[in-house]
Amino acid sequence: MGKLIRLELYNFKSYKGHHTLLLGDSYFTSIIGPNGSGKSNSMDAISFVLGIKSSHLRSAHLRDLVFRGRVLRTSKINGDGSATTNGASGHMNDEVGPDGEPGQNGTQERNDPKSAWVMAVYEDDAGDEQLWKRTITNQGASEYRINDRVVTAQQYNEALESENILIKARNFLVFQGDVEAIASQSPRDLTRLIEQISGSLEHKAEYERLKEAQEEALENQNFTLHRRRGINSEIKQYTDQKNEADNYAKKADERDQAIVTHILWKLYHFQRVIEESGAEIQRHQEELKEQRRGIEKYDKALEEAKKDQAKVGREVSKFEKNIKQKEKDIEAKENSLVPIAEKIDITDKNLKKCNTRISGISKERDTHSTNIKHSAKDLKVVEKAQGQWESDFRKLAEQEGCELSEGDLQRYNVLKEDVSKRTSGDQIKVDNFTRQQKADDETVKSLKSKVDTAEWQAQKLCDELDEIGERKESVNDQVKETTEDINNKKKIFNEHTSERLRLAQLRTEKDEKLQEVLTKLLEAEDRRKQNEKDVRLKSTVADMKRIFPGVRGRVSELCKPVEKRYQTAVSTVLGRNFDAVIVDNERTAIDCIQYLREQRRGQATFIPLDTIQFTALNSNLKSQHRGCRMALDTINYERSLERAFSYVCGNAVICDDLAVAKNICWEKRNDVKAVTLDGSIIHKGGNMTGGQGNKQDSRRWEDTEVENLRKLQEKLVSELAALPESRRGVSEEEVLRGELTGLEQKLTYLKEEAKTYDRNQSSKQKELSHARQELAAAKPKYEEKLRELQDLESTLKEYQDAVSEVQDEIFAAFCRRLGYNNIRAYEVQQGSLQQEGAQKKLEFSTQRSRLESRIKYEQQQLQETRSRIKVLEDRARQDEFLIKELQAEHESTQNELDTLSVEFDQLTEQLEQNKVKHQQKSEKVAEQRREVQKRSNNVDGILKAIAGLEADRQLNASSRYTLFRRCKLEDINIPLEADSKGLDQLPLDGILQTDPDAMEVDEDQEASILRPSEVQGYGIELDFDDLDEDLKESDEDKIDTELQDRVKALNIELENMAPNMRAVERLGVVQDRLKTTDRDFEDARKRAKRAKDDFQSVKEQRFELFSKAFSHISEQIGPIYKDLTRDSSLPMGGQAYLDMEDGDEPYLDGIKYHAMPPLKRFRDMEHLSGGEKTMAALALLFAVHSYQPSPFFVLDEVDAALDNANVAKIANYIREHAGPGMQFIVISLKTGLFQGSEGLVGIYRDQGANSSKALTLDLRKYQ
C-alpha cells in the first residue's frame, strides 16, 4: 500500500498563503505545537482534501475554511466584507497610511482570499505520485482535481476508494473528542459503525423497502388464495345440487313400498312374540313358588357355620401373632450369638498367638541362660588353667635357671656399671622406650579386645534384626490380608445394607403408591354414589340397549375428553344433551319413547343418526387464537357417531380463560358459543353464564380410571408380596457385622504386635548403631596404637643395637670365659622365661575379659526376654478371662434361645391344629354357601327370565301400538282382515293416559313381575297373506337391518336429491368468477415469489458484508487490546471482546463492547476511568481500521486523557505497527508519544504574518 508524502495548503483556515507539511518517507510522524498554533487545522486539511464534510471539520459551512485576516475588536465588518474603524486609533490588518493615520473615510478593504485549496501528494505501490487536490471558494463551491485534472466528486471518491481510502467509513481519521465518544457509544451506534465499515449500511434502505414489499405481496397472495377456495366450494355445492335433482322422482315410490313391507314384517313378529311370551311366563311363575320354599332352612345353617368359623379364626390369628413375636425373639437371640461367637474365636486365636510367642521367647530365654552358663563355665576353666600354668611356670623357672659365682657376679656387676656409664644416655632411652612399649602393648591388646567384642556384638545384633524383620514382615502380611478381608466384608456388608435399604425404599414407595391408589379409589367410590334417578336412568338405557339393537348409549358414555382439564368445559358444552341417548334411526327413537311411556320409566332425549340435522363446522375458528379450540376436537368418540357429536357440540369453542373467550366472541365478532375451562359461558346472544356449577357430570368419565386404579392396586399388592422379607437381610447383616468386629479386633492386635516389632527393631537399630559407632571409634585407635607400637619397637631396636655394641665390647672376655656368645645370651636365658610368662598372663587376661563381656551381654538379653514374656503372659491371662466371660454369656444366651425354640414349636403345633379346625369350618361354610347360592341362583334365574319375557311382551305390544299409530298419522296403508277395525278407530292417546305421579311410587320388583299385565289389541287384525314366507319364518336382526337400510337408503337418496332449480344458473356465474380469481392468484403468487427472492438476496448480501467485518474486528480486538495494555509487569495485558445481541440479523440490533483492564474485574464501559476508556476506544479503532485498512491513519490528540504509562504503551504500539502499508500521523502534546516518532512536523503561529507555519524534523538521524 502507498503512503502520504506531503500536504500542501493554500489559504486554508489558519494557514495564509502556500504552506507545505512534509511527511517524507517516515511511517510514524507526529504533528506538534502549542495550543492555538493550528496543528488541528492540519487534521482538518487532511480530512478536507479527502472529501470529508464540513460538519466534521469544526466549521458550519465550507466557506468558513477559507483564510480570513485579523480584524480589530473596535472595527465593524460591512456587508461587502470591508471593515470600518470606530475610533481614531483603529486600523485593519496592521496597515496604516503614510502619516500613520487610517484611510480618509475610516473604511478599508480587507483583501481576504477568495478561495483556498489543499493538495495531498500520495505515493502508490508502484512508486508513482498522485496529486489529490480540493479547492473551495468563499461562496462554498468545491472543485476536485486528480493530477491537475478536474473530476467530479463521485470520480474523486472512487479514486480514493481504489487506494482503500473509504470516505464514508472514515476509519482512518480520529478527531479530537472522537475517542471518548466511541468509548461511550451505545450498542446500536457500534452496530452502525460496523455497518459503515463493512458497507452493509448502503443496503439498509433497499432492505427495508424490499421487506415491506415482500410482506405486502404475501398478504395479497393469501387474500386471493382464500377467495379462490371459497369460489371452489360454491362450484362443488351447485354441481351436487344439479345431480341430485335428476333422480328424485323415481325413488319416492320405491321408498313407500319398502316402508309398508318393513312395518308388516315387524307387526307379524311382534304378535308372535306376545303370544309365546305369555305362555312362557305362566310356566316360570309356577316353578318360582317351589324354589322359594326350600331356600330358608339353608340360610339358617349358613349363619351358624359362619359363627363357628369366625370363632376358630380368632384363635388362629392369636396364635399367628404369638408365633411372629417368638420368631422376632428367636431372631434377636440368634443375632446376639453371632458377635459373641466371633469374639470368642478372635480372642482364642489371640491367646494361641500369645502362647506361641511366649514359647518362642522362652526358647530365646533358655538360649541366653545356656550361653551364660557355658560362658561362666569357660571362665572357670580359664582361671583354673591360669593357676595351673603359674605353678608350673615357677617350677620351670627354678629348674632351668643357673646361677653365677660370687666373683663372676661381682665382675658382671662391675662390667654392667661400666656399660651403664658408657651407654647411660642410650640406656635411659631404652628403658623409657621399653616401658612405653609395654604400656603401648597393653593398650593395643585392650583395643583389639574391644574391637573384637564390638564386631561380635554388631554381628549378633544384625542377626537379631534379620529375625525381627522376618517376623515383622509376616505380621504386616497378616495385617494386609486382614485389611483386605475387612474391606471385602465391608463391601459385602454395604451391598447387603444397600440392597436392604433399596428394598425398604421400594417397599415404602409401593406402599405410598398403594395408599394413594386406595385414597383415590375411596374418593372415586364416593363420587360414584349416584342418586336414584341416575341409577334408574342407567338401568333404563341398559334395558333399551338389550331390547332395541339400534340403541348406542348415552352421550356421556360414548365420549371422553382428550385431557382431564377439558372435563368441566365439555360437560358444560353438552349441557342438556349430556344424558341424551344416541340411536341409529328415527324409528328406534320412536320405539324407545313408546317403551318409556308404557313402562312408566321417565323421559329421555334421543338423537337419531339418520335424521339429525346439524350446522357444518366453521374451520376458520380453529386458527382464531392459540388458547381456543373447537369443542368437537376436545373429545374422543367413534367415527360412526360423528353426526351426533357434531349436533351436540355444534360450533362451540373451548377457551383457556374468559379473556380468550371475550376476544373470540366480542372483539373478533364470531357468532359462536364460547366455554372456558372453569365452565363459564358466553352465549351467541352475548349473555354470559358463570360461577361454580355441578361437577357431577364431568366426573362420570372416571369409571375407566377407577378400573385402571383397581388394576394398579392388584399389581402393587402382588409386587409387594413378591418383595423378599427384610428380616432375612437384617440377620445376614448381623452375621457380617459380627465378622467385621472380630476382624477389626484381630487387625488391632496385629497392628499392636507390628508396633512392638517396630519398637524392638528401632531399639536394636540403636544398639547396632551404638556398637558400630564404638567399633568405628575403637578400630582407628587400635590401628593408630598398633602403628605407634611398631614405630616404637623400631626406635627401641636402634638404641638396643647401640647398647649391644658397647656390651659386646666390654663383656667380650667375660662371655668367652663363661662360654656365652654375648652377655645378652646370658640375660636371655634368664629373661626369656620371664617374657614367656608375661605373654601367657596376657593371653589369660584377654580370655577372661572376653568371657566376662559375653556374660554381661547375655545377662542383659535374658532380662529383656523375661520382661517380654511377662507382658505376653499378662495379655494371655486377660484373654483367658475374656474367653470365660464370653463363653458364659454365650451359654446363657443359647439356653434362652433353646427355651424360645421349644415355645415356638409348641405354638406352631397349636397353630396347625387350629388351622385344621379353621379349614374344616371354612369348608362347612363354603358348602352351606354353595347350597344357598345354588338355590338363590335358580330363583334369580327364574326372576330374570320372567322379567325378560314380560319386558319382551310389553315391548312388542308397545312397538305394535307404535307402528299402528305411525301408520294412522302418516297415512300408511297396511293390509287388514275383513272383520278388523280400521286404523282410524285407534286411540292416539289411549295408552299414554297414565297417572303423572306413577313414576315416583316405589314398587316391589318381584311383585310387579309376578302380577301379569294386560296387552291391548284395539280390535285391529292384520292380513299377513301378502308377506313373503321367508320374512315370516325369520325375525333376525339381519332382515330388520336390511329392510331399514333399504328404507334409509331411499330416504337418504330422496333427501340428497332435493332439487334446486337455480343451481345451473348460479353454477355458470361462479365458474366465471373462478377464472378471474385464478388469474389474480397466479399474478399475486409470482409477485410474492419475486419479492421474496429480491429481499432474500439483499438480506444475504447485507448479512455477509456485516458478518465478514464483525468477524474480523472481533478476532482482532482482543490481541490489539492486549498489545495496548501489556507491559513488563503485566505481560498478559487486558481482555476485550464484542458481543452480538442478534445472531440471525445482527445489523437490526446492538453490539456490546466489553473491555477488562489488567488485574481488574469485569465492569461496564461507563464505569471505567477516562484513561481506561481511551485505551479501550483506541483498541476498537485500531481493530476497525484493520478491516480494509487505509494506507495511513491520522490521530488528533487521542492521548489527552492518558497518563504517561498509557502514552508510552500507545507509542510502543504505533512504533511496532508503523511500516509499509501502515503510516501513522499523530497530533499530540505528550512528549512520551512524539519523542518516539520517526519525524516531527512542528506547527507554530507567526503573529506578524497572522498565519500558522510548519517546520519538519527527521528524528531518525538522532535515534
Side-chain angles (χ1 to χ4, degrees):
M1 300 179 72
K3 60 178 296 185
L4 196 63
I5 297 177
R6 67 181 182 274
L7 192 70
E8 298 182 12
L9 297 83
Y10 178 76
N11 291 334
F12 182 82
K13 294 191 82 170
S14 63
Y15 293 87
K16 179 181 179 181
H18 185 271
H19 297 270
T20 300
L21 274 66
L22 184 62
L23 304 178
D25 58 352
S26 170
Y27 288 101
F28 180 11
T29 303
S30 295
I31 300 177
I32 63 175
N35 289 329
S37 61
K39 58 182 181 299
S40 292
N41 290 337
S42 62
M43 175 74 170
D44 294 340
I46 295 174
S47 303
F48 171 77
V49 75
L50 296 178
I52 302 300
K53 295 181 179 179
S54 61
S55 59
H56 298 291
L57 304 179
R58 301 180 298 166
S59 298
H61 304 285
L62 283 175
R63 62 175 177 269
D64 296 335
L65 302 178
V66 180
F67 174 82
R68 288 186 178 183
R70 182 172 55 190
V71 179
L72 296 178
R73 283 181 291 179
T74 58
S75 299
K76 179 180 178 182
I77 303 298
N78 298 323
D80 58 354
S82 62
T84 303
T85 60
N86 295 328
S89 61
H91 65 284
M92 178 176 59
N93 291 340
D94 293 340
E95 296 179 359
V96 296
D99 298 329
E101 297 293 331
Q104 297 177 356
N105 299 325
T107 303
Q108 182 179 358
E109 293 295 326
R110 294 181 56 183
N111 295 324
D112 285 342
K114 304 299 182 180
S115 65
W117 55 264
V118 177
M119 183 174 67
V121 180
Y122 176 81
E123 181 180 308
D124 57 18
D125 293 337
D128 299 331
E129 290 187 356
Q130 297 184 23
L131 305 180
W132 297 332
K133 183 177 181 181
R134 182 182 179 186
T135 305
I136 184 70
T137 66
N138 58 3
Q139 301 301 321
S142 291
E143 180 186 79
Y144 297 90
R145 290 176 178 269
I146 299 178
N147 296 328
D148 292 332
R149 181 172 56 88
V150 178
V151 295
T152 63
Q154 179 66 26
Q155 293 173 339
Y156 194 85
N157 288 337
E158 289 175 355
L160 293 176
E161 288 177 0
S162 65
E163 294 298 328
N164 217 22
I165 301 173
L166 307 178
I167 304 303
K168 294 181 180 180
R170 294 197 301 116
N171 61 330
F172 56 92
L173 298 175
V174 182
F175 294 94
Q176 277 186 338
D178 281 359
V179 173
E180 184 177 355
I182 290 173
S184 304
Q185 66 183 347
S186 66
R188 287 192 175 274
D189 293 336
L190 181 56
T191 303
R192 182 174 179 83
L193 174 63
I194 296 180
E195 278 203 275
Q196 291 176 341
I197 298 302
S198 64
S200 65
L201 188 62
E202 299 177 1
H203 301 280
K204 180 179 180 181
E206 184 71 8
Y207 171 91
E208 293 176 349
R209 184 185 66 79
L210 291 176
K211 184 177 183 181
E212 183 178 355
Q214 179 192 11
E215 293 174 352
E216 182 180 355
L218 287 175
E219 184 177 357
N220 188 27
Q221 178 187 0
N222 292 333
F223 173 77
T224 55
L225 176 62
H226 289 304
R227 189 172 64 179
R228 189 179 70 166
R229 288 178 178 174
I231 294 174
N232 283 330
S233 177
E234 290 182 23
I235 290 176
K236 182 179 180 182
Q237 180 181 359
Y238 290 129
T239 303
D240 293 339
Q241 289 178 1
K242 179 180 177 298
N243 293 332
E244 290 173 359
D246 296 336
N247 297 322
Y248 180 78
K250 70 177 183 179
K251 295 293 180 182
D253 295 337
E254 294 182 22
R255 181 198 60 186
D256 294 340
Q257 185 60 40
I259 291 174
V260 170
T261 302
H262 182 237
I263 292 174
L264 196 61
W265 174 79
K266 293 184 75 174
L267 289 173
Y268 175 81
H269 289 290
F270 286 156
Q271 184 172 339
R272 179 180 60 78
V273 172
I274 290 171
E275 295 172 355
E276 292 176 354
S277 298
E280 191 69 18
I281 288 172
Q282 188 63 33
R283 185 179 64 81
H284 282 306
Q285 286 176 347
E286 295 298 329
E287 184 179 355
L288 181 62
K289 294 177 182 178
E290 294 296 330
Q291 290 290 340
R292 285 186 169 174
R293 297 189 187 97
I295 202 170
E296 294 179 357
K297 64 178 181 179
Y298 288 101
D299 285 335
K300 294 180 181 179
L302 177 61
E303 291 299 325
E304 293 295 330
K306 285 182 177 179
K307 291 180 181 179
D308 295 340
Q309 181 191 21
K311 183 177 180 181
V312 177
R314 287 191 293 272
E315 293 294 330
V316 170
S317 299
K318 180 179 179 182
F319 281 112
E320 287 178 346
K321 183 177 180 181
N322 293 334
I323 287 175
K324 288 182 179 179
Q325 185 61 40
K326 292 296 180 184
E327 287 179 345
K328 291 181 180 178
D329 295 340
I330 291 172
E331 184 178 359
K333 292 297 180 183
E334 289 177 347
N335 292 338
S336 63
L337 282 176
V338 173
I340 294 174
E342 187 67 24
K343 289 179 181 178
I344 291 174
D345 183 52
I346 293 172
T347 307
D348 185 59
K349 290 180 180 178
N350 293 334
L351 179 60
K352 290 179 180 178
K353 288 181 179 179
C354 285
N355 292 331
T356 302
R357 292 188 62 198
I358 289 172
S359 176
I361 296 174
S362 297
K363 291 180 180 179
E364 293 181 10
R365 179 194 61 190
D366 297 339
T367 301
H368 290 309
S369 299
T370 303
N371 291 338
I372 290 172
K373 291 179 181 179
H374 289 168
S375 297
K377 184 178 180 181
D378 293 341
L379 181 60
K380 291 179 180 179
V381 171
V382 169
E383 290 175 348
K384 185 178 180 181
Q386 183 178 5
Q388 183 66 37
W389 174 80
E390 289 176 351
S391 176
D392 295 340
F393 182 76
R394 285 193 297 269
K395 293 178 180 180
L396 180 62
E398 292 176 356
Q399 291 176 0
E400 293 183 358
C402 58
E403 297 182 359
L404 295 175
S405 62
E406 187 65 25
D408 292 337
L409 186 57
Q410 291 178 354
R411 181 61 181 170
Y412 172 77
N413 291 330
V414 172
L415 294 174
K416 192 73 173 174
E417 291 178 0
D418 190 16
V419 170
S420 296
K421 291 177 181 179
R422 292 180 59 182
T423 61
S424 58
D426 292 338
Q427 191 65 44
I428 291 172
K429 290 183 179 181
V430 168
D431 293 340
N432 291 334
F433 285 144
T434 301
R435 286 193 299 271
Q436 186 177 354
Q437 179 187 17
K438 290 181 180 180
D440 290 347
D441 189 53
E442 290 294 331
T443 302
V444 168
K445 290 179 180 179
S446 175
L447 289 173
K448 188 174 186 310
S449 175
K450 190 174 182 180
V451 168
D452 293 340
T453 302
E455 289 178 348
W456 174 81
Q457 188 174 4
Q459 183 61 38
K460 183 173 181 63
L461 288 172
C462 288
D463 295 339
E464 290 178 354
L465 280 173
D466 293 339
E467 183 180 357
I468 291 173
E470 292 176 358
R471 293 180 181 178
K472 179 182 175 182
E473 185 177 357
S474 175
V475 171
N476 288 334
D477 291 340
Q478 293 180 17
V479 168
K480 184 177 180 181
E481 181 179 356
T482 306
T483 304
E484 291 178 356
D485 292 341
I486 289 175
N487 292 334
N488 293 333
K489 292 291 183 182
K490 283 184 177 180
K491 183 177 180 181
I492 297 172
F493 178 78
N494 292 333
E495 290 175 355
H496 278 274
T497 304
S498 299
E499 181 66 17
R500 179 176 60 80
L501 293 176
R502 187 186 68 80
L503 292 175
Q505 184 178 2
L506 184 60
R507 184 183 296 276
T508 302
E509 291 176 356
K510 292 190 179 297
D511 284 336
E512 291 176 355
K513 289 183 181 179
L514 182 59
Q515 291 299 324
E516 184 179 355
V517 169
L518 292 175
T519 303
K520 290 182 180 179
L521 281 174
L522 290 175
E523 294 175 355
E525 290 298 332
D526 291 340
R527 291 195 295 267
R528 292 183 64 193
K529 291 181 179 178
Q530 302 172 347
N531 55 33
E532 182 180 359
K533 181 180 178 181
D534 294 333
V535 175
R536 291 172 63 183
L537 178 60
K538 188 174 182 180
S539 176
T540 300
V541 174
D543 291 340
M544 287 192 295
K545 290 175 69 175
R546 180 172 54 83
I547 296 170
F548 303 104
V551 178
R552 297 296 186 92
R554 290 187 294 171
V555 170
S556 60
E557 296 172 347
L558 297 175
C559 71
K560 185 178 181 181
V562 295
E563 296 182 20
K564 194 171 182 179
R565 64 190 182 111
Y566 295 135
Q567 289 183 355
T568 301
V570 170
S571 62
T572 304
V573 170
L574 297 180
R576 58 187 176 84
N577 292 315
F578 194 85
D579 288 322
V581 181
I582 299 176
V583 296
D584 287 342
N585 50 51
E586 183 183 6
R587 184 72 264 163
T588 304
I590 295 173
D591 293 343
C592 291
I593 293 172
Q594 187 65 31
Y595 170 75
L596 293 176
R597 289 173 177 173
E598 292 176 356
Q599 298 298 320
R600 301 178 180 178
R601 304 190 67 169
Q603 296 180 346
T605 301
F606 293 90
I607 303 175
L609 295 174
D610 61 339
T611 60
I612 193 70
Q613 299 292 329
F614 62 90
T615 305
L617 295 180
N618 185 0
S619 60
N620 293 329
L621 294 173
K622 295 183 179 181
S623 59
Q624 292 284 331
H625 197 282
R626 291 182 60 185
C628 169
R629 61 205 56 81
M630 300 296 296
L632 192 63
D633 296 337
T634 61
I635 56 176
N636 290 324
Y637 56 87
E638 294 182 7
R639 291 296 99 186
S640 60
L641 306 177
E642 185 172 4
R643 290 175 59 85
F645 286 105
S646 298
Y647 166 74
V648 297
C649 294
N651 278 325
V653 295
I654 294 179
C655 305
D656 290 346
D657 50 38
L658 195 58
V660 177
K662 290 179 181 178
N663 178 267
I664 295 296
C665 295
W666 294 345
E667 296 179 11
K668 297 188 177 180
R669 300 185 180 278
N670 292 308
D671 188 17
V672 295
K673 176 182 178 181
V675 182
T676 64
L677 295 179
D678 59 0
S680 300
I681 310 171
I682 298 180
H683 299 276
K684 291 184 178 180
N687 56 316
M688 296 177 62
T689 303
Q692 187 68 25
N694 186 8
K695 296 186 179 180
Q696 182 179 359
D697 291 341
S698 63
R699 291 173 177 169
R700 296 189 191 175
W701 285 298
E702 296 181 355
D703 293 341
T704 305
E705 296 180 6
V706 171
E707 293 299 326
N708 294 334
L709 287 173
R710 285 182 177 147
K711 293 179 181 178
L712 181 58
Q713 177 191 4
E714 295 175 358
K715 180 182 177 182
L716 290 173
V717 171
S718 61
E719 289 177 354
L720 283 172
L723 290 177
E725 297 182 1
S726 60
R727 184 175 58 190
R728 183 177 60 186
V730 173
S731 176
E732 293 177 354
E733 288 181 17
E734 290 295 334
V735 173
L736 290 172
R737 188 180 285 109
E739 293 177 355
L740 275 173
T741 302
L743 289 173
E744 288 173 352
Q745 291 181 357
K746 177 181 178 181
L747 181 62
T748 302
Y749 293 146
L750 289 173
K751 287 183 177 179
E752 187 64 30
E753 187 174 357
K755 289 180 180 178
T756 302
Y757 281 127
D758 288 337
R759 289 193 295 270
N760 291 340
Q761 190 177 30
S762 177
S763 177
K764 295 295 183 183
Q765 286 283 3
K766 291 180 180 179
E767 292 181 9
L768 178 60
S769 177
H770 179 69
R772 287 177 174 172
Q773 289 177 358
E774 290 184 348
L775 178 61
K779 196 167 185 179
K781 292 180 180 180
Y782 164 72
E783 292 175 351
E784 183 180 359
K785 284 293 181 182
L786 184 60
R787 286 194 299 271
E788 291 178 356
L789 179 61
Q790 292 175 352
D791 294 340
L792 182 62
E793 289 177 348
S794 176
T795 303
L796 178 61
K797 188 174 184 303
E798 291 178 358
Y799 285 104
Q800 285 178 346
D801 291 342
V803 172
S804 296
E805 291 178 358
V806 175
Q807 286 179 344
D808 291 341
E809 179 183 351
I810 294 173
F811 283 99
F814 180 80
C815 290
R816 284 194 298 271
R817 184 172 57 84
L818 294 178
Y820 290 103
N821 293 328
N822 50 49
I823 192 62
R824 290 184 298 280
Y826 167 76
E827 291 175 350
V828 166
Q829 182 180 359
Q830 296 296 320
S832 61
L833 188 60
Q834 298 298 327
Q835 185 177 2
E836 181 181 355
Q839 182 67 29
K840 201 67 173 178
K841 287 180 182 179
L842 180 60
E843 291 177 358
F844 282 120
S845 175
T846 301
Q847 289 181 1
R848 282 200 313 272
S849 176
R850 185 185 297 113
L851 290 173
E852 287 172 354
S853 298
R854 184 178 298 176
I855 290 171
K856 183 178 179 181
Y857 172 75
E858 292 293 342
Q859 286 175 347
Q860 291 177 352
Q861 294 297 316
L862 178 62
Q863 185 63 31
E864 182 181 351
T865 305
R866 287 173 178 171
S867 300
R868 290 166 59 193
I869 291 173
K870 186 175 182 303
V871 172
L872 291 173
E873 287 176 348
D874 292 340
R875 186 182 298 174
R877 282 193 295 272
Q878 292 176 0
D879 290 342
E880 289 175 355
F881 179 74
L882 179 60
I883 289 172
K884 290 179 181 179
E885 288 183 346
L886 292 174
Q887 287 176 346
E889 184 179 356
H890 187 277
E891 184 177 357
S892 174
T893 305
Q894 186 64 44
N895 292 335
E896 294 176 1
L897 180 61
D898 294 339
T899 303
L900 290 174
S901 299
V902 172
E903 294 175 357
F904 176 78
D905 293 338
Q906 293 175 354
L907 289 173
T908 304
E909 184 177 356
Q910 292 175 2
L911 176 62
E912 293 298 328
Q913 294 174 359
N914 281 277
K915 280 186 177 180
V916 172
K917 291 181 182 179
H918 186 267
Q919 183 66 27
Q920 293 173 354
K921 298 296 183 182
S922 299
E923 291 176 356
K924 185 175 180 181
V925 170
E927 182 179 357
Q928 295 297 328
R929 185 178 285 113
R930 284 194 297 271
E931 292 295 332
V932 173
Q933 188 66 31
K934 180 178 178 183
R935 285 158 178 76
S936 298
N937 289 340
N938 292 336
V939 172
D940 292 341
I942 294 172
L943 289 174
K944 289 180 180 179
I946 293 174
L949 291 170
E950 181 62 25
D952 291 343
R953 190 164 176 263
Q954 293 296 329
L955 174 62
N956 283 275
S958 174
S959 301
R960 185 177 64 178
Y961 171 77
T962 301
L963 288 176
F964 287 160
R965 187 171 178 274
R966 177 187 174 191
C967 292
K968 180 178 179 180
L969 295 174
E970 297 179 6
D971 291 331
I972 299 175
N973 295 322
I974 56 175
L976 302 176
E977 294 288 348
D979 55 351
S980 172
K981 292 182 180 181
L983 291 177
D984 55 348
Q985 299 181 15
L986 179 71
L988 295 179
D989 55 354
I991 194 170
L992 303 176
Q993 294 175 357
T994 58
D995 186 1
D997 298 328
M999 291 296 292
E1000 305 299 329
V1001 177
D1002 293 333
E1003 296 181 357
D1004 185 11
Q1005 183 182 3
E1006 186 176 335
S1008 65
I1009 292 174
L1010 294 177
R1011 184 173 65 250
S1013 60
E1014 297 295 333
V1015 177
Q1016 289 289 342
Y1018 306 104
I1020 298 174
E1021 296 182 5
L1022 298 170
D1023 183 7
F1024 297 108
D1025 294 339
D1026 294 337
L1027 190 64
D1028 293 341
E1029 292 298 327
D1030 294 338
L1031 297 177
K1032 290 181 180 179
E1033 293 177 358
S1034 175
D1035 60 348
E1036 295 179 356
D1037 294 339
K1038 180 179 179 182
I1039 296 176
D1040 183 42
T1041 303
E1042 291 176 355
L1043 295 174
Q1044 287 185 13
D1045 290 345
R1046 177 61 178 163
V1047 175
K1048 186 187 300 183
L1050 292 171
N1051 280 326
I1052 292 174
E1053 291 179 9
L1054 288 172
E1055 291 174 359
N1056 294 334
M1057 292 187 297
N1060 183 1
M1061 303 307 297
R1062 299 183 62 187
V1064 177
E1065 179 184 352
R1066 295 295 304 273
L1067 181 61
V1069 175
V1070 173
Q1071 287 176 344
D1072 293 337
R1073 285 169 53 202
L1074 178 62
K1075 293 178 181 178
T1076 303
T1077 306
D1078 284 338
R1079 288 194 298 271
D1080 295 340
F1081 173 75
E1082 186 64 24
D1083 294 338
R1085 187 185 63 80
K1086 291 179 179 178
R1087 284 195 299 272
K1089 184 177 185 303
R1090 190 162 51 249
K1092 181 180 179 181
D1093 294 338
D1094 294 341
F1095 172 71
Q1096 194 66 28
S1097 176
V1098 172
K1099 177 183 175 182
E1100 291 176 356
Q1101 188 175 3
R1102 187 179 183 188
F1103 178 82
E1104 183 178 358
L1105 290 172
F1106 187 93
S1107 298
K1108 183 179 179 182
F1110 176 82
S1111 299
H1112 177 84
I1113 295 170
S1114 181
E1115 291 175 359
Q1116 294 295 323
I1117 194 165
I1120 291 175
Y1121 187 74
K1122 286 183 179 180
D1123 292 340
L1124 288 175
T1125 55
R1126 69 158 58 103
D1127 55 19
S1128 58
S1129 60
L1130 299 170
M1132 297 302 294
Q1135 295 182 6
Y1137 61 93
L1138 297 177
D1139 187 13
M1140 187 185 296
E1141 294 180 353
D1142 186 357
D1144 295 329
E1145 292 186 86
Y1147 39 80
L1148 298 181
D1149 216 325
I1151 294 176
K1152 292 184 178 180
Y1153 176 34
H1154 303 285
M1156 288 181 286
L1159 302 179
K1160 291 194 177 181
R1161 60 183 178 85
F1162 174 81
R1163 288 184 295 180
D1164 292 332
M1165 187 65 70
E1166 59 266 24
H1167 295 153
L1168 298 178
S1169 66
E1172 292 171 343
K1173 287 183 180 179
T1174 301
M1175 298 298 284
L1178 286 174
L1180 179 60
L1181 289 172
F1182 290 144
V1184 169
H1185 181 263
S1186 67
Y1187 180 76
Q1188 296 182 351
S1190 63
F1192 48 85
F1193 198 25
V1194 185
L1195 304 174
D1196 187 2
E1197 294 188 17
V1198 296
D1199 55 353
L1202 298 179
D1203 56 12
N1204 293 333
N1206 286 326
V1207 169
K1209 294 178 182 178
I1210 295 295
N1212 291 334
Y1213 180 86
I1214 294 176
R1215 277 200 305 271
E1216 291 175 2
H1217 292 81
M1222 179 57 71
Q1223 179 184 11
F1224 284 90
I1225 302 173
V1226 180
I1227 301 174
S1228 175
L1229 291 175
K1230 296 292 182 70
T1231 305
L1233 181 59
F1234 64 73
Q1235 69 182 2
S1237 59
E1238 297 176 355
L1240 284 180
V1241 176
I1243 306 297
Y1244 67 95
R1245 185 76 175 180
D1246 188 348
Q1247 297 296 334
N1250 190 24
S1251 172
S1252 297
K1253 293 187 177 182
L1255 297 175
T1256 302
L1257 179 63
D1258 189 354
L1259 295 180
R1260 288 173 292 182
K1261 301 176 181 180
Y1262 309 100
Q1263 292 179 350

